[in-house]
Amino acid sequence: MSKYIGVFNPSFTADAFGLVAAGTVYYNLEAPQLYEEAIRRGEARIAKFGPLVADTGAHTGRSPKDKFIVRDALTQNDIWWDNSAPLSPEHFDVLHEDMLAHAVGRDLFAQDLYGGAEPANRVKVRVLTEYAWHSLFIRNLLIRPTSEEAKAFSADLTILDLPSFKADPARHGCRTETVIAIDFTRKIVLIGGTSYAGEIKKSVFSYLNFVLPAKGVMPMHCSANVSKEGASTLFFGLSGTGKTTLSADASRTLVGDDEHGWSPEGIFNFEGGCYAKAIKLSKEAEPEIYSTTERFGSIMENVALDEATRAPDFDDASRTENTRIAYPLYFIPNASETGRAGHPTNVVMLTCDAFGVLPPIARLDPAQAMYHFLSGYTAKVAGTEKGVTEPQATFSTCFGAPFMSRHPSVYGNLLRDLVHTHGANCWLVNTGWTGGKYGVGRRMPIKATRALLAAALDGSLAKAAFRTDPFFGLATPMAVPGVESAILNPVDTWASREEFNAQAARLVAMFRENFVKFASHVDPEIMKAQPAAAAA
């Protein structure tokens, strides 16, 4: 029989999940207690001003190739198997039993939390972790029930996270010693062999990505904010494109920074916290996010500390480029208290184009919006990964392919219908390079990006004169107050028009090659929105 410490829910026992002989179960502990346990167990250190700093070990990011979904009667016909690795129910059973056996005698930390700020469309999640800092991480990232709700909490989804467990590919049907296995029928997620905490939160996102479309609700990998007048905006974008930075605008209320739903009632955050990239974090450029690194309760992952002062060095990428900060949403001064807002007025798709050819902003018609949503383009830059010496195009459909359980057309059709029904304006914003590719040009000035976004969101940009880009067919503004005109037309920023044309043609070819797989799943109008094979 396990021993329990914490704010106890009479209906909860680890035994009910099969953890009959676990050690002490620490239940719904708050930050001070979890700090004490993490420090006592040698899991983390304390940085200057109070954040907890953890090292995630060998895994400094997600392991998408080690994620599996149980293939059974529920999932057989509805999962996008081209993008999801199947696991048999029998292998899941063995994995489950072995992880329960591995937990015997081990202390665990339990948190009861919500995924989803809209009561009708949220999931009640119980997260059982081996590490105290993982428990604080997910407590920061998901939504905490009230004390009264916690007393009667009954989980819809249970996640068991045991980093010290090593999977056996032959026995468990997986690929390596690392495994993330989701059983949608039994509503269980098993995570083993990785200390990267992001796997926990993304498992909740993957679950909602499967269950919500059947209810007519669009799950989205995006950030969101809302103006003082109540006009909300969605920011789609892959890691490094700026969706966290740009949504944390002091003049607007932050709804959330990463995952949202769009229901008949409006938009709602899946989370109660933020998971921001910390590399090269600047107090001047990102003051709202920077302030969270000086607060007790924040968690910093893989951030280097000065040994004498324990001050963080956000420019140090020796451990990984993927340094992170996890903090409750209320650490941002202008954060929404409800995590909900009305239907979006604007939908922004962010890309970091390291080829330096996409315009800093473009207005999208409905077909173009669906084309770029399904493409999900950004680019890796040289030096971020071993062997990457030139910019590399990355296409992650729906701006979050690893988390999309169903076929992209399901999400694309939902977004198309919602944009049409509610009349949202759609924009493509390039936060990448101008004046040349990475290594030649410069990063798009964030001041210019903010000015262009402000003009788009307040409606003034719609009144500007637009030109049509000859390669991508995008409508781009010719002049915007406060923004240097040359930036608005990418070719004007390059030293050589011929080199620009060659680079643009290369990127067009990549877009077209990537989209071939969607040709039989989308309307002809969307196919017409793809860039021309040759410049006009």
Side-chain angles (χ1 to χ4, degrees), residues 442-522:
R442 58 169 174 150
R443 190 74 189 259
M444 196 72 69
I446 192 168
K447 183 178 179 181
T449 300
R450 289 192 186 280
L452 291 168
L453 268 176
L457 303 190
D458 69 18
S460 61
L461 189 59
K463 301 172 186 176
F466 284 77
R467 66 165 65 88
T468 300
D469 168 78
F471 284 93
F472 290 85
L474 299 170
T476 62
M478 298 176 68
V480 177
V483 179
E484 55 182 295
S485 297
I487 280 182
L488 297 174
N489 191 21
V491 68
D492 291 342
T493 67
W494 281 57
S496 167
R497 180 174 292 270
E498 290 72 23
E499 289 182 9
F500 174 88
N501 289 345
Q503 190 81 323
R506 284 182 60 206
L507 187 57
V508 164
M510 294 177 196
F511 265 86
R512 291 177 65 87
E513 181 181 358
N514 171 72
F515 211 77
V516 167
K517 59 180 174 285
F518 298 120
S520 62
H521 296 279
V522 300

Side-chain angles (χ1 to χ4, degrees), residues 25 42 149 160 165-166 223 227 275 340 366 382 396 475 525 530:
V25 178
E149 290 171 336
L160 177 62
F165 177 84
K166 305 299 182 185
S223 58
S227 71
Y275 194 31
R340 300 173 66 180
S396 185
E525 285 301 308
Q530 69 178 332

Side-chain angles (χ1 to χ4, degrees), residues 52 75 93 145-146 149 175 197 249 287 380-381 385 442 523 533:
L52 199 66
T75 60
D93 284 341
T146 65
E149 290 171 336
R175 191 181 70 97
D249 183 334
K380 296 177 184 177
V381 298
E385 290 185 13
R442 58 169 174 150
D523 297 337

Side-chain angles (χ1 to χ4, degrees), residues 17-19 22-25 59 94-110 127-132 134-135 158-167 177-181 189-197 199-200 203:
F17 187 65
L19 294 163
T24 300
V25 178
H59 295 80
V94 174
L95 177 65
H96 190 193
E97 291 170 4
D98 288 352
M99 289 187 71
L100 292 177
H102 184 78
V104 169
R106 295 178 186 273
D107 292 348
L108 296 174
F109 297 86
V127 184
L128 299 159
T129 65
E130 184 177 2
Y131 292 163
H134 277 189
S135 193
T158 302
I159 299 174
L160 177 62
D161 173 53
L162 302 176
S164 66
F165 177 84
K166 305 299 182 185
E177 291 183 339
T178 298
V179 63
I180 303 97
V189 178
L190 303 174
I191 303 172
T194 174
S195 297
Y196 186 68
E199 298 287 11
I200 308 172
S203 294

Side-chain angles (χ1 to χ4, degrees), residues 201-202 205 220-223 243 256-260 271:
K201 99 178 196 92
K202 288 304 184 185
F205 188 31
M220 304 173 292
H221 185 214
C222 70
S223 58
K243 71 182 192 316
D257 87 320
D258 197 40
E259 300 162 3
H260 292 80
E271 301 182 303

Side-chain angles (χ1 to χ4, degrees), residues 5-312:
I5 293 177
V7 183
F8 191 62
N9 175 346
S11 69
F12 168 72
T13 64
D15 302 22
F17 187 65
L19 294 163
V20 178
T24 300
V25 178
Y26 297 85
Y27 185 69
N28 279 348
L29 297 191
E30 297 192 16
Q33 297 162 297
L34 290 170
Y35 261 63
E36 291 170 1
E37 292 298 329
I39 297 300
R40 184 169 68 85
R41 296 162 191 267
E43 297 175 4
R45 298 189 292 168
I46 298 177
K48 188 175 182 179
F49 301 119
L52 199 66
V53 183
D55 188 312
T56 63
H59 295 80
T60 57
R62 292 180 299 99
S63 300
K65 293 182 179 179
D66 293 311
K67 177 183 171 185
F68 298 84
I69 294 175
V70 173
R71 192 170 196 158
D72 58 15
L74 175 65
T75 60
Q76 173 65 40
N77 297 321
D78 290 324
I79 294 294
W80 181 28
W81 294 113
D82 289 347
N83 185 63
S84 303
L87 190 71
S88 71
E90 293 76 19
H91 276 129
F92 187 89
D93 284 341
V94 174
L95 177 65
H96 190 193
E97 291 170 4
D98 288 352
M99 289 187 71
L100 292 177
H102 184 78
V104 169
R106 295 178 186 273
D107 292 348
L108 296 174
F109 297 86
Q111 292 285 339
D112 287 345
L113 302 159
Y114 294 132
E118 190 172 273
N121 290 302
R122 69 188 181 195
V123 59
K124 292 181 286 185
V125 189
R126 176 162 292 143
V127 184
L128 299 159
T129 65
E130 184 177 2
Y131 292 163
W133 82 264
H134 277 189
S135 193
L136 179 57
F137 170 90
I138 202 62
R139 183 177 175 84
N140 280 354
L141 265 295
L142 293 184
I143 299 169
R144 306 171 190 181
T146 65
S147 56
E148 287 303 308
E149 290 171 336
K151 291 176 184 177
F153 194 94
S154 178
D156 302 317
L157 176 70
T158 302
I159 299 174
L160 177 62
D161 173 53
L162 302 176
S164 66
F165 177 84
K166 305 299 182 185
D168 178 347
R171 178 173 172 80
H172 301 127
C174 53
R175 191 181 70 97
T176 68
E177 291 183 339
T178 298
V179 63
I180 303 97
I182 304 176
D183 187 324
F184 286 115
T185 298
R186 284 173 280 192
K187 301 179 180 179
I188 295 172
V189 178
L190 303 174
I191 303 172
T194 174
S195 297
Y196 186 68
E199 298 287 11
I200 308 172
K201 99 178 196 92
K202 288 304 184 185
S203 294
V204 177
F205 188 31
S206 296
Y207 179 84
L208 289 169
N209 273 335
F210 179 72
V211 301
L212 290 182
K215 301 171 69 174
V217 177
M218 172 69 176
M220 304 173 292
H221 185 214
C222 70
S223 58
N225 63 25
V226 61
S227 71
K228 293 175 182 177
E229 296 73 32
S232 64
T233 298
L234 302 178
F235 297 84
F236 288 95
L238 298 170
S239 179
T241 59
K243 71 182 192 316
T244 298
T245 299
L246 293 171
S247 59
D249 183 334
S251 68
R252 298 170 68 87
T253 298
L254 177 67
V255 182
D257 87 320
D258 197 40
E259 300 162 3
H260 292 80
W262 189 349
S263 78
E265 304 303 316
I267 60 172
F268 61 98
N269 195 358
F270 286 171
E271 301 182 303
C274 299
Y275 194 31
K277 293 198 77 168
I279 197 69
K280 301 189 186 306
L281 183 64
S282 161
K283 189 173 186 177
E284 291 70 34
E286 301 170 271
E288 293 83 12
I289 297 173
Y290 191 92
S291 69
T292 70
T293 70
E294 298 180 338
R295 292 196 59 166
F296 178 88
S298 292
I299 295 177
M300 298 194 295
E301 292 179 346
N302 301 315
V303 171
L305 299 181
D306 182 279
E307 288 303 317
T309 66
R310 294 297 190 268

